[in-house]
């Protein structure tokens, strides 16, 4: 996106566009490019939050795989295996560029499936960005469609959810990917997992889709 030139004063010649002005990209463009730089790659991670409600995931093996990428959509399956258990491949994070030309903002949805690939009753929930965020972090407040879904399924505590995705570009020193769910107030909640983007792992099998 190019930055708009300031209006020239009466009788003045507009200054030429600088290289910065003609090549600058929005924070969401930079974020999308950073995530896209990991297309096809998989990484190991772990839960870094410590709430008791997530005790069953504490110490679990985790993997993310930037599996499907296009100009408008990126799918990131999230695989979890608790100690001594089987891999749970039921979750996929779906990020989309919204608007007719993809420049209106970003959207995060959660695709949840059963073992046979059928949709879970609670699936495709999430939200859209409410601000331009930063090049490495985007927040997704819960949308109205998801609020209705949560209420219908008896998950009223989730109607103030805010999700966050953080990502550094491939090759960056100490590169990391993070997924976070948080909410404040009476039903305060924090769930956060982080992945080391400096060391690839073998891509896991396809998710349940």
């Amino acid at each position: 996106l190019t930055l708009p030139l300031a209006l020239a004063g009466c009788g003045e010649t507009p200054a030429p566009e600088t290289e910065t002005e003609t090549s600058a990209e929005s924070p969401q463009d930079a974020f999308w490019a950073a995530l896209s730089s990991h297309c096809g790659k998989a990484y190991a991670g772990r839960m870094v939050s410590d709430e008791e409600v997530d005790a069953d995931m504490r110490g679990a093996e985790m993997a993310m795989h930037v599996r499907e990428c296009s100009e408008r959509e990126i799918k990131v399956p999230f695989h979890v295996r608790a100690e001594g258990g089987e891999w749970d491949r039921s979750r996929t994070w779906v990020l989309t560029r919204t608007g007719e030309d993809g420049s209106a903002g970003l959207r995060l949805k959660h695709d949840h499936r059963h073992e046979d690939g059928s949709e879970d009753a609670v699936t495709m929930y999430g939200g859209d960005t409410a601000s331009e965020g930063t090049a490495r972090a985007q927040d997704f407040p819960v949308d109205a469609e998801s609020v209705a879904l949560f209420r219908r399924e008896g998950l009223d505590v989730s109607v103030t959810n805010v999700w966050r995705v953080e990502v550094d570009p491939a090759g960056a020193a100490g590169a990391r990917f993070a997924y976070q769910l948080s909410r404040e107030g009476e039903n305060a909640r924090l769930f956060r997992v982080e992945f080391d983007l400096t060391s690839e792992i073998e891509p896991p099998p396809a998710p349940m889709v």
Side-chain angles (χ1 to χ4, degrees):
L1 296 175
T2 56
L3 297 175
L5 291 172
L7 293 176
C10 181
E12 296 179 357
T13 302
E17 292 182 343
T18 66
E19 181 178 349
T20 299
E21 289 173 327
T22 57
S23 62
E25 60 181 0
S26 73
Q28 291 183 347
D29 288 336
F31 175 89
W32 193 262
L35 184 56
S36 297
S37 72
H38 298 282
C39 283
K41 301 175 182 179
Y43 305 95
R46 63 188 182 92
M47 186 175 71
V48 298
S49 53
D50 60 359
E51 293 196 353
E52 187 59 32
V53 68
D54 301 314
D56 60 335
M57 297 184 73
R58 193 168 298 130
E61 293 181 70
M62 297 182 178
M64 59 159 285
H65 182 196
V66 188
R67 190 170 189 271
E68 297 181 38
C69 303
S70 70
E71 291 184 359
R72 297 290 295 272
E73 183 179 78
I74 298 176
K75 292 185 177 181
V76 184
F78 172 42
H79 307 263
V80 180
R81 181 168 68 177
E83 185 176 355
E86 299 292 326
W87 279 101
D88 180 347
R89 308 190 191 281
S90 64
R91 306 174 180 92
T92 298
W93 298 316
V94 183
L95 292 103
T96 308
R97 304 204 70 158
T98 59
E100 290 186 5
D101 61 356
S103 64
L106 302 178
R107 174 174 297 150
L108 171 68
K109 291 289 185 177
H110 301 72
D111 187 347
H112 286 194
R113 304 279 177 147
H114 296 292
E115 288 188 13
D116 63 0
S118 61
E119 291 187 349
D120 190 88
V122 182
T123 190
M124 297 311 290
Y125 59 85
D128 291 5
T129 51
S131 69
E132 65 179 9
T134 70
R136 76 172 309 273
Q138 294 288 324
D139 290 329
F140 303 87
V142 64
D143 59 27
E145 180 182 39
S146 301
V147 168
L149 170 65
F150 291 148
R151 292 196 188 283
R152 187 180 72 232
E153 296 298 324
L155 301 172
D156 290 30
V157 295
S158 298
V159 300
T160 58
N161 282 1
V162 177
W163 295 274
R164 167 172 283 203
V165 175
E166 301 171 12
V167 63
D168 295 307
R176 182 186 67 186
F177 175 97
Y179 165 89
Q180 177 178 293
L181 159 66
S182 65
R183 57 177 176 259
E184 299 179 352
E186 181 181 356
N187 298 308
R189 180 87 164 87
L190 178 65
F191 172 82
R192 182 179 174 91
V193 292
E194 296 181 358
F195 299 82
D196 179 4
L197 301 183
T198 66
S199 181
E200 290 183 54
I201 62 171
E202 188 72 20
M208 298 169 179
V209 294

